[in-house]
């Protein structure tokens, strides 16, 4: 097994050995945390849904800003297109979540 930290050499002081043990515990804790996160399907799905929502919201806001006429009023065609895209993204997210839950 390879390690980021070399083991204490033969004849190392107690402080060196204790420091090595503490580093090993920290590394093990980080590994356990990473594995726990990977196995938490509910948290992963929630995170993915939040990411999709943030992307859709950002896109809708950008489309809203870009979708104005010269006098500052909303351009109906652009707003309708943005709404359709947001609705499509929502449908895709729902379909993907349902497929994964089977």
């Amino acid at each position: 097994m390879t390690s980021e930290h070399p083991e204490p050499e033969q004849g190392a002081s107690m402080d060196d050995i204790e420091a090595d043990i503490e580093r090993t515990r920290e590394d093990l804790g980080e590994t356990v945390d990473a594995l726990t996160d990977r196995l938490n399907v509910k948290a992963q799905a929630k995170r993915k849904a939040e990411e999709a929502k943030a992307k859709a919201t950002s896109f809708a806001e950008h489309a809203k800003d870009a979708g104005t006429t010269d006098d500052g009023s909303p351009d109906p065609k652009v707003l309708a297109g943005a709404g359709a895209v947001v609705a499509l993204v929502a449908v895709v997210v729902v379909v993907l979540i349902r497929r994964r839950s089977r």
Side-chain angles (χ1 to χ4, degrees), residues 18-97:
E18 288 175 357
D20 180 60
I21 291 170
E22 184 58 33
R23 280 192 302 269
T24 301
R25 284 182 181 151
E26 288 174 6
D27 290 345
L28 182 58
E30 291 173 7
T31 301
V32 169
D33 289 344
L35 288 172
T36 301
D37 187 52
R38 283 185 178 182
L39 295 174
N40 191 342
V41 177
K42 185 176 180 179
Q44 287 181 15
K46 183 177 179 181
R47 199 168 35 249
K48 292 285 186 185
E50 288 171 356
E51 289 173 8
K53 181 180 176 182
K55 286 180 183 179
T57 301
S58 174
F59 180 80
E61 288 175 2
H62 178 69
K64 182 180 175 184
D65 291 341
T68 57
T69 60
D70 291 338
D71 65 355
S73 62
D75 184 351
K77 292 181 281 185
V78 174
L79 290 177
V85 169
V86 170
L88 178 62
V89 168
V91 168
V92 168
V93 168
V94 168
V95 168
L96 289 175
I97 289 173

